[in-house]
Amino acid sequence: MKKRFLTLALVLAMCLSLAIPAFADDAAKPEDKDPVATESVKPEDKDSEPSESAEPTDKPEDKDPEPSEPAAPQFTDVPEGAYFETPVAWAVEKKITNGTEPGTFAPEDTCSRVQILTFLYRAVQSAEDPDFAPTSNDLLLAAKWALEKGMIGDAKTINADCTRADAVNYIWQAFGKAEAENKAEFTDVDADADYAEAVSWAVEKKITNGDGSDTIFNPGKTCTRGQIVTFLYRHIVK
């Protein structure tokens, strides 16, 4: 385990060292930028360096239910009435995210694994500590937290895109890995898949009902920033 921590710290340290300029300008303004969403990495580097520059959305054709009572938009790219409007406002209020740039949330950008893990880390910290405030160290802290909880095995693929299977599995693990009373029946979710229990739990908790069909979950489909905060909102608030 010690060796895994050292490897994780080294990989994330390399990533953070590349992102120092982005953090430096806004270090005194945590409300302006989401430290986890300001880093980027080239496609060929995805399996080696963690970064944060995306999050998921539930598209209109997705069968998942939409949150009601939308709040006023906080970002120029979060239109009034969008299914992710209320979840985004909630996530900002709870210090789970600050957006990618001042006035921008980038709801349609793809979410990376390290990004959803950071959102989850912040959600847990915010619930436990009313004075919690996001920092540029959250990426490293979230990865270490996820490693300790067994949510990830190492840092090699932490910067990969977050899929629907990843999303429900991470949320399920972060909140105790409760056993679902009923098994979800999706033709594309193998009974012995390592995320099968998480899918059943997510359906039971009404976090998701599938990807536009009662029989299709689409576990390999990538998520957007809007989708991820919506999933979190549905579990924690609704």
Side-chain angles (χ1 to χ4, degrees):
M1 178 63 74
K2 182 177 181 181
K3 183 177 180 181
R4 292 165 66 193
F5 276 129
L6 291 175
T7 302
L8 175 63
L10 178 60
V11 173
L12 292 176
M14 292 172 63
C15 174
L16 293 173
S17 67
L18 296 175
I20 289 176
F23 293 136
D25 293 340
D26 298 284
K29 300 180 180 180
E31 70 280 8
D32 288 340
K33 288 188 179 182
D34 184 348
V36 175
T38 56
E39 299 178 27
S40 63
V41 68
K42 295 180 180 179
E44 62 270 23
D45 294 331
K46 277 191 172 183
D47 290 341
S48 60
E49 296 183 6
S51 75
E52 281 245 319
S53 55
E55 295 172 33
T57 55
D58 284 339
K59 295 183 179 179
E61 67 271 20
D62 195 321
K63 191 173 180 296
D64 295 344
E66 298 182 3
S68 58
E69 301 179 6
Q74 299 293 314
F75 302 101
T76 58
D77 55 357
V78 177
E80 184 176 359
Y83 74 85
F84 49 78
E85 181 189 10
T86 295
V88 168
W90 164 79
V92 170
E93 179 185 356
K94 295 301 180 181
K95 303 172 186 177
I96 293 171
T97 178
N98 291 323
T100 55
E101 296 290 340
T104 302
F105 181 72
E108 300 296 339
D109 282 0
T110 300
C111 185
S112 66
R113 290 174 179 172
V114 71
Q115 194 168 26
I116 182 177
L117 291 173
T118 302
F119 290 163
L120 282 167
Y121 168 76
R122 289 173 173 171
V124 171
Q125 296 303 312
S126 179
E128 295 178 350
D129 180 9
D131 297 323
F132 170 76
T135 72
S136 59
N137 290 325
D138 287 352
L139 183 152
L140 176 60
L141 294 173
K144 182 178 179 181
W145 169 77
L147 182 62
E148 291 174 341
K149 291 181 70 68
M151 296 166 69
I152 57 175
D154 54 47
K156 292 181 180 178
T157 61
I158 201 171
N159 201 44
D161 294 340
C162 178
T163 65
R164 287 173 60 84
D166 289 333
V168 295
N169 202 20
Y170 290 151
I171 297 171
W172 175 66
Q173 293 181 76
F175 290 98
K177 300 197 295 187
E179 184 177 349
E181 293 184 5
N182 300 297
K183 179 182 176 182
E185 298 293 340
F186 292 113
T187 59
D188 56 354
V189 177
D190 293 335
D192 59 351
D194 59 3
Y195 55 83
E197 185 67 31
V199 170
S200 294
W201 171 83
V203 170
E204 192 171 275
K205 294 297 182 181
K206 298 185 177 168
I207 295 171
T208 176
N209 287 327
D211 190 28
S213 168
D214 290 331
T215 59
I216 300 296
F217 180 71
N218 214 343
K221 182 179 179 181
T222 57
C223 295
T224 62
R225 286 173 58 87
Q227 282 177 324
I228 291 302
V229 295
T230 300
F231 289 160
L232 290 176
Y233 174 83
R234 287 173 181 166
H235 173 56
I236 298 174
V237 180
K238 301 252 335 169

